[in-house]
Amino acid sequence: MSIDGLFAHPASGTPTETSVVAQARELIAGLLAEPWGQVSASPYETGRVASLAPWLAGHAERIDFLLATQRADGGWGPPGDYGLVPTLSAVEALLAECRREAPCTDSGLLAKVADRGLEAVRGWWLEGQEEPLPDTPAIELIVPSLLSLINGHLDVPGPFQGMSDTKLEAVRAWLRSGVAIPQKLVHALEVAGEEAVAASGIVPTPMPDGMAAVGASPGASAAWLAALLEPEDGAVSKLEDGVTSHRSGWSARGGAPVRRYLEAIATSSGGPVPCAVPITVFERGWTLSWLLRAGIAVDVPPELSASLRDGLGRDGIAAGPGLPADADTTSVALYALALLGEPREPEGLWAFEAESHFCTWSGEEGMSPTTNAHVLDAFGEYVRRCGGESRHAGVVTKLTSWLRGCQEAEGNWLDRWHVSPYYATACCGIALSEFGGEKSKGAVDRAVDWVLDTQRRDGSWGLWEGTAEETAYALQTLLLTGAMREGRAWEAVERGHRRLSAIRDHEAPLWVDKDLYLPVAIVRAVVLGALHLAERAMNITGE
């Protein structure tokens, strides 16, 4: 995926440090101009909205997006098993469109593309497979839900069997009971089915301008709105300007704010939708952290620091409205504020402390090294600037030990919130280098060796292919851990810098939500930070 026009390239030659700083300042200004955040379109989420809300403006464009983004092998999304969820969603949406009285495009084309997708689905061995499916949110609910819907569209009943639906049925029964459910589950409400959603009593999260969202998710919001409607609400009608109107019962039942949220997203995107929006705090915290950690001098508007500061409390802060507070976002917000000269006691993180580490949120199934690396950043920077108490120093000691224990034998780290080991290795290696002390030197050295050993022949780094984002993480690992004391690292940085300058607008979704996504501003900050560090280390002035 290319981010066309995202970077302003110099007319010729290597970009100067001044141009990188100027682009960083432009990036900061853009955070205020697009306060909901900049997120790539999601095949999974677009498929859910196309299936659940065909009345929403931009429906034909969503179908066109699904048709255009099918891979040569018939699937959608990234390589391997990470493509299962987006492929199932796209196939179901196209089959649903085929069954409509007036599909928005040629039904024969829809059927042909859906059939190719079905062949790709048959390539996944879901029942009794030896390797587990990717650790993406709600995958154990999403897969059986979509398989059931696909089976319902086909003439032969039940041709696709796979993951057990026991947990899905338990969740649906839970929703039908009306008992409050965790906010993180609301983010994937579309798996529940109309009856369960209608009975759940879930209240959308209010937003500015008379809007409201369910779980910061277009798919979940579309599912909530679809369940709100009843047959007697009447058919969808078209206004004279071609925009689809809402059914008569929406305003009375409180659905109009959710409709406005969906329409705002569809209008701004031209049809396809992202997996999570808004992501205001997440985007701002990560963007500022990467730029400031790299030493880029930027003037941060008071509104940005206030958006990080004002939401912090004893329970932490969420990535955006409608999502649960989490230790990852909270720690990055605290770290960014500290780098801005506003260190705060990390009171919002204590709620996430476990015996050996910190959980991303209460009840998390699994553990995240990068979340704990960010918590280490927050506590370490607070202790460095303010001294703190013995309990703060104790957290630093505990987390450095835990992170060392999570390191892979090869020297890298892996994580559940990003598919690339270069992201996890940068987060953990840099945090240990800064706050881990002498005991962590061996772990940091092994991380550096792994980065050096895995550089591609063209100078880039990457899991599936060389990307700008992963190359930037590798460069930041080398440049922020003291690795530049070695001649081998100098050569790797020079080659990496040349390659990054050439591929800086070449990106792929690598961040984990219900499917993989690209947080555009964050990735741009990582790339700019790496360029700045490399140019400063090599004394590139452009003169």
Side-chain angles (χ1 to χ4, degrees), residues 182-203:
Q183 191 65 30
K184 65 177 182 178
L185 184 56
V186 178
H187 183 55
L189 187 66
E190 67 275 7
V191 305
E194 188 170 307
E195 180 186 352
V197 173
S200 66
I202 290 171
V203 177

Side-chain angles (χ1 to χ4, degrees), residues 395-470:
V395 166
V396 172
T397 301
K398 176 170 76 172
L399 291 184
T400 56
S401 175
W402 188 83
L403 286 172
R404 291 194 301 266
C406 292
Q407 189 174 24
E408 300 291 313
E410 294 81 1
N412 64 294
W413 279 268
L414 302 172
D415 196 71
R416 61 189 320 199
W417 302 122
H418 198 289
V419 297
S420 174
Y422 295 99
Y423 170 75
T425 301
C427 292
C428 298
I430 295 170
L432 286 175
S433 177
E434 285 203 46
F435 307 113
E438 186 64 25
K439 288 184 178 180
S440 298
K441 185 179 184 304
V444 174
D445 288 346
R446 287 193 297 276
V448 167
D449 287 341
W450 176 80
V451 169
L452 294 173
D453 291 342
T454 57
Q455 187 173 26
R456 292 173 175 265
R457 294 182 64 181
D458 64 3
S460 68
W461 284 268
L463 174 62
W464 293 313
E465 61 177 338
T467 67
E469 180 183 1
E470 293 168 284

Side-chain angles (χ1 to χ4, degrees), residues 106-186:
D106 178 64
S107 58
L109 175 62
L110 292 170
K112 180 179 179 180
V113 175
D115 283 344
R116 290 183 59 227
L118 287 171
E119 286 304 311
V121 173
R122 291 186 180 96
W124 272 287
W125 181 248
L126 299 177
E127 189 171 20
Q129 64 175 18
E130 294 182 3
E131 294 295 324
L133 290 175
D135 182 17
T136 58
I139 189 171
E140 74 281 10
L141 307 176
I142 290 172
V143 170
S145 172
L146 289 174
L147 286 173
S148 176
L149 290 172
I150 289 171
N151 287 338
H153 292 312
L154 301 177
D155 294 333
V156 181
F160 288 109
Q161 302 300 321
M163 186 180 292
S164 169
D165 63 356
T166 301
K167 188 170 183 179
L168 175 63
E169 290 306 317
V171 167
R172 289 176 170 176
W174 192 8
L175 285 164
R176 286 192 295 269
S177 73
V179 175
I181 64 171
Q183 191 65 30
K184 65 177 182 178
L185 184 56
V186 178

Side-chain angles (χ1 to χ4, degrees), residues 67-83:
L67 295 174
T69 55
Q70 187 178 35
R71 300 194 313 255
D73 65 0
W76 277 263
D81 286 346
Y82 283 100

Side-chain angles (χ1 to χ4, degrees), residues 1-3 6 27 30-31 33-46 65 187 215-218 261 264-266 268-284 286-287 319-321 323 417 469 507-524:
M1 176 179 181
S2 295
I3 313 174
L6 184 61
L27 177 61
L31 298 180
E34 299 187 57
W36 280 19
Q38 304 166 57
V39 191
S40 61
S42 161
Y44 168 78
E45 207 84 8
T46 299
F65 170 79
H187 183 55
S217 162
Y261 162 78
I265 296 171
S268 65
S269 68
V273 299
C275 58
V277 67
I279 56 164
T280 306
V281 178
F282 165 59
E283 179 183 78
R284 293 177 178 185
W286 262 257
T287 299
L323 295 171
W417 302 122
E469 180 183 1
E507 282 306 334
L510 297 169
W511 294 68
V512 176
D513 199 311
K514 288 178 277 185
D515 63 353
L516 302 190
Y517 69 100
L518 172 68
V520 175
I522 294 172
V523 171
R524 184 179 180 190

Side-chain angles (χ1 to χ4, degrees), residues 271-347:
V273 299
C275 58
V277 67
I279 56 164
T280 306
V281 178
F282 165 59
E283 179 183 78
R284 293 177 178 185
W286 262 257
T287 299
L288 290 174
S289 293
W290 282 111
L291 293 177
L292 295 169
R293 189 168 220 164
I296 298 180
V298 290
D299 294 323
V300 178
E303 299 95 315
L304 286 186
S305 54
S307 66
L308 301 179
R309 181 194 326 111
D310 294 348
L312 287 168
R314 296 182 64 86
D315 297 325
I317 193 171
L323 295 171
D326 67 87
D328 211 13
T329 306
T330 302
S331 57
V332 174
L334 286 164
Y335 181 65
L337 287 170
L339 296 183
L340 289 169
E342 300 183 39
R344 299 167 62 91
E345 200 283 324
E347 64 168 345

